[in-house]
Amino acid sequence: MTQPLSVAEGAYVRGRLDSLGHTFDLVMGDAQTPELRQLLTNNTGSGQFHFVAPSDTITFVVRNNSDVAFTPELEIERIVTPSEMTGETLSYTSPEIAKLAKELAQGGTTDAFWEARAKAGTPMIEPTKAEGQVLVTYLWRGATKNVRLWGGPASDHTWMTQLADSDVWYVTFEMPDTARMSYGMAPDVPQFEGGERENRVALLATLQADPLNKTPIYSDATDKWAQRSMLEGENAPIQPGMTRAENSADEVPKGTITPKILISETQPKRHVDYYRPAGFDPSRPDTVLLVMFDGPAYQTERAPVPAILDRLIATKQLPQVVVALIDPVDSDQRGVDLTCNPAFMDTLAHDWLPQIEAEFGKTFAPSQRVVSGSSYGGLASACMVHRHSDLFVNAVVLSGSFWWGPEGYDGQGMPYMSALWADYTPPNVRIWMSAGLYEAGRAPGLVSIFETTRHLRDVMQLKGVADVTYREYAGGHDYLVWRGALAEGLLHLFGTN
């Protein structure tokens, strides 16, 4: 069987041969070479083929390889002539970006697009067909060389794409409508000869808030480079203690912060801030002591722990809670102390804890003590409860850095913390843990907070930890997530309702 096809030379042709269970070959040729290209071999069903026409007259040869006479169905599905072809084919996840691309191709401008964005705010949110999902497009206007998104849903800082040669730079993600996260934008990031990390961290030179975002973080910051921006999905979970609506009055009584110094023979002097709720009564037997790592960070606009506790205590969702907010000194000291350092944990247990309790005029039962922190602080919290369960029964672990292991540790795939708890599980401890969906490894094969937290949860459950709770959030490594997670953890462990 042969069949001719008239088509412009250079045209793209897509077709299909349906053999309906019989074995056929399909060959394409032209006037010079009758059998130029074999498109399908031993095709027995519906086979699709593609080619670019070598001339304006094409001939198909269909060979029957079976003993049964049968005529297959040959269909040409699409022909694209050379005049209809474009350069690189671009697809746009965002319908609005696709619409703008079409308008620009027809000679339009971006003015109306940016006017709409200024009115609605950014990122741009669009619906999807998937339940509980939205399209989120981050946007920047007018960079010269590049733009990089800091934070957001990516596990690594994402390079944004310029739309044609316009002033629009964008990147689109499909995300849960429960997402909550901070982000920043770095336009025209310096790039130069050097290491990968050196070029990566160069974004800090231009990192700033999104100028069209309507929910800034650090709104009273001195300049735009000190600000960041927030994305909060319409179904983002309520964060206990972050809204005034939980109390009938606009304001609640505020607790007090008292700065002091912790002293030890084995550690340098350490700053600590003591939080007492309004009307603090040291004689109350239900009082909870919270020891919080990275204390200064949890007294900021993005994680205002004192204000959160003021509201939860005033509305009687929590009993009386006092807090020792311990200063990490600096990033270097933090990396030494909070990575399961036995000397640091023993100092906290034997030297600092008595000073902390003396400050509050009360000795707490282990069941009324809780330790908490995020990242390395989460790692340290899990280590502290494991090592000193006689003193601390409870932990709220926020995005613990369970990818970490001591130098020389070879667990053959078992994360260090999981191995520690698998080897010995203290009785009667209560652990509340969380991780973000976007706390995955930056590259394939890198161990992440997300997967190691899940692994540790499984180990704890298998080893019979009395109370282990795990929560996942549509967020990243972010204080905007941790502030709500901390409140949820405290409510789970000590809530009165």
Side-chain angles (χ1 to χ4, degrees), residues 13 15 17 19 23-30 33-44 47-52 54 58-65 74:
V13 180
L17 178 71
S19 303
T23 304
F24 282 82
D25 293 341
L26 177 63
V27 179
M28 180 269 294
D30 60 12
T33 310
E35 297 189 8
L36 178 64
R37 179 174 178 179
Q38 183 143 335
L39 300 175
L40 295 171
T41 302
N42 292 328
N43 185 77
T44 57
Q48 193 174 66
F49 57 87
H50 313 257
F51 64 89
V52 173
I58 299 299
T59 300
F60 295 105
V61 178
V62 183
R63 296 197 192 100
N64 187 345
N65 295 330
L74 180 65

Side-chain angles (χ1 to χ4, degrees), residues 198-368:
E198 186 181 14
N199 272 270
R200 182 172 177 268
V201 300
L203 67 83
L204 298 174
T206 64
L207 181 61
Q208 57 195 268
D210 179 351
L212 297 182
N213 180 276
K214 297 184 181 295
T215 50
I217 305 170
Y218 305 134
S219 55
D220 59 350
T222 55
D223 55 57
K224 63 184 180 182
W225 291 279
Q227 285 189 345
R228 298 295 176 263
S229 304
M230 179 170 70
L231 164 66
E232 193 169 48
E234 64 176 356
N235 289 321
I238 294 173
Q239 295 186 310
M242 281 300 297
T243 61
R244 294 179 180 178
E246 292 166 349
N247 190 38
S248 58
D250 286 341
E251 295 290 345
V252 299
K254 289 182 172 59
T256 59
I257 298 292
T258 305
K260 289 290 182 70
I261 299 291
L262 294 171
I263 299 173
S264 168
E265 293 182 359
T266 59
Q267 294 282 334
K269 291 181 179 180
R270 189 64 58 92
H271 289 279
V272 60
D273 289 326
Y274 292 111
Y275 163 83
R276 292 176 175 83
F280 170 64
D281 179 2
S283 67
R284 282 183 53 176
D286 62 345
T287 303
V288 172
L289 169 64
L290 167 61
V291 175
M292 194 86 210
F293 299 121
D294 295 317
Y298 282 96
Q299 300 177 68
T300 66
E301 179 183 341
R302 61 179 177 171
V305 167
I308 290 170
L309 292 176
D310 287 343
R311 295 182 183 122
L312 296 180
I313 294 168
T315 54
K316 302 188 185 315
Q317 296 179 67
L318 280 177
Q320 185 172 252
V321 179
V322 295
V323 190
L325 296 134
I326 299 177
D327 192 321
V329 180
D330 56 31
S331 60
D332 290 341
Q333 188 64 44
R334 181 175 183 271
V336 171
D337 291 344
L338 301 186
T339 50
C340 287
N341 185 333
F344 175 79
M345 289 185 287
D346 291 348
T347 296
L348 172 56
H350 302 308
D351 296 344
W352 292 348
L353 181 59
Q355 296 172 51
I356 290 169
E357 294 190 327
E359 174 68 23
F360 293 119
K362 183 178 182 65
T363 299
F364 294 82
S367 62
Q368 295 301 108

